[in-house]
Amino acid sequence: MHMHGTSERPPVLLGLNTFGDVGLGPDGAPKPEAQVIREVVEEGVLADQVGLHSFDVGEHHRRDFAVSAPEVVLSAIAAKTEHVRLGSAVTVLSSDDPVRVFQRFATLDAVSSGRAEVILGRGSFIESFPLFGFDLEDYETLFEEKLELFDRVRSQKPVHWQGRHRGPISGLTAYPHVEEGLLPVWVGVGGTPQSVVRAAHYGYPVSFAIIGGEPARFAPYVELYKRSLEKFGKPYTMLATHSPGHVADTDEQAREELFPHWLAMRNRLGEERGWGPGSRTEFNAQASRPGALYVGSPETVARKIADTHRALGTERFDLKYSNGTLPHGAMMKSIELYGTKVAPLVADMLA
């Protein structure tokens, strides 16, 4: 089944994101990474069964996230699914080789019969830089240079390229080729104007990571992206947003299930990044109608997704359903409700 074409689609496509967050076992100790990875495969299979558009897995190189090779996990999911699109969220291009990134996703595209896509980003964590021998001083230039090389490799034509951070390529082509058209590529953006303009320069769609504040504040970036596409003579395809959240039968249940895991993760990252401690007040503000936390009953979450679409005009919403040590069972229930209840409600609200 080849998925690169566009058929009749709802106003907002609904997808899922996970980083393979390492949860706790019955004894309160962190689960083995191997178990977490197998659970991610189960979650991806369920996403397909409940009719969701896409399932994206992030790349990290730290103890609290189990997935460092998203394409391998996605290939396992591909073998057990039929329709769901499979992508990364994100692939840290800065500390990888653009030729290998293309080859791995072209291989995933073959295995999945045309369901692969890659979301490229600089990553919000920096562990991959020392791990793979890159200098953080080169944070900006690494991404710019590697994105340029990736774009040339993606064309599936002979590459002539020279840069600062790796050896030149003279007239070589990367294989395997994608079966139909070109590999679908997104750029993940945290909210800098330069990143928006850079994505538009290549004509790549953007996925905005909205993890705090009101989604509506990203409206100027949407406008900047559309103006930049016009300037570069590139066609508009689509835009997405990505935000954390959790769905349960009722608002109260969803909030109570998520809060302790949200707080633990918020405080762990806060310690690393010099933020003050999180609180129930902060959580409630983010979980309220304009906030960036999509938590609640199917109707509450659907309403927030519809609000975001109206505010930004984005055509896809990706829920980061894994939140720190939130248990696998709660995540499976969240995925089920998201596909079977939230998706039809969003379609009705925007009809």
Side-chain angles (χ1 to χ4, degrees), residues 39-236:
E39 289 173 353
V40 170
V41 173
E42 276 180 45
E43 290 152 13
V45 171
L46 181 59
D48 186 60
Q49 289 168 349
V50 298
L52 290 165
H53 171 73
S54 52
F55 188 82
D56 296 341
V57 180
E59 171 202 340
H60 293 85
H61 303 272
R62 43 185 290 138
R63 179 177 292 174
D64 39 359
F65 302 121
V67 180
S68 60
E71 316 84 352
V72 184
V73 179
L74 293 167
S75 282
I77 297 168
K80 298 181 172 191
T81 55
E82 286 180 29
H83 305 293
V84 71
R85 297 194 61 75
L86 301 165
S88 57
V90 299
T91 291
V92 186
L93 187 65
S94 312
S95 55
D96 210 329
D97 185 281
V99 179
R100 290 302 278 151
V101 171
F102 171 79
Q103 290 175 325
R104 296 194 305 259
F105 278 90
T107 302
L108 173 65
D109 199 68
V111 168
S112 65
S113 298
R115 290 185 282 139
E117 51 190 39
V118 57
I119 303 181
L120 301 172
R122 295 182 293 179
S124 59
F125 294 92
I126 55 172
E127 288 82 5
S128 64
F129 288 82
L131 189 63
F132 298 119
F134 292 101
D135 192 335
L136 271 171
E137 294 290 310
D138 300 325
Y139 186 79
E140 290 292 335
T141 57
L142 275 166
F143 187 73
E144 283 175 20
E145 188 174 285
K146 291 186 175 195
L147 189 60
E148 184 196 4
L149 174 55
F150 180 89
D151 187 64
R152 299 212 192 163
V153 172
R154 176 181 176 257
S155 74
Q156 306 186 146
K157 295 172 181 160
V159 174
H160 297 271
W161 181 88
Q162 190 164 2
R164 275 178 49 202
H165 298 292
R166 58 152 286 166
I169 300 179
S170 183
L172 302 175
T173 305
Y175 300 99
H177 281 178
V178 171
E179 203 165 12
E180 290 185 16
L182 298 178
L183 179 70
V185 178
W186 294 71
V187 175
V189 169
T192 66
Q194 300 89 323
S195 299
V196 173
V197 173
R198 187 190 296 126
H201 174 260
Y202 291 103
Y204 290 161
V206 166
S207 178
F208 293 105
I210 305 178
I211 54 176
E214 296 188 18
R217 71 191 170 88
F218 277 74
Y221 291 118
V222 170
E223 289 313 306
L224 173 63
Y225 176 71
K226 290 179 176 174
R227 282 202 313 274
S228 302
L229 281 176
E230 263 177 49
K231 185 179 123 186
F232 296 126
K234 303 284 186 183
Y236 177 85

Side-chain angles (χ1 to χ4, degrees), residues 246-259 280 283-284 287-289 294-304 337:
H246 179 59
V247 193
D249 291 322
T250 66
D251 287 354
E252 188 186 6
Q253 184 190 347
R255 289 187 182 206
E256 291 311 310
E257 281 178 0
L258 181 59
F259 176 67
R280 187 74 200 221
F283 175 81
N284 288 343
S288 69
R289 182 87 178 254
Y294 291 68
V295 56
S297 67
E299 190 167 332
T300 296
V301 172
R303 199 174 292 121
K304 282 188 85 159
L337 291 171

Side-chain angles (χ1 to χ4, degrees), residues 6-56:
T6 52
S7 53
E8 189 62 35
R9 68 183 188 206
V12 181
L13 300 166
L14 296 192
L16 290 169
N17 291 171
T18 180
F19 299 161
D21 306 49
V22 175
L24 304 177
D27 59 352
K31 288 180 186 175
E33 288 102 345
Q35 183 184 346
V36 175
I37 288 169
R38 290 190 290 270
E39 289 173 353
V40 170
V41 173
E42 276 180 45
E43 290 152 13
V45 171
L46 181 59
D48 186 60
Q49 289 168 349
V50 298
L52 290 165
H53 171 73
S54 52
F55 188 82
D56 296 341

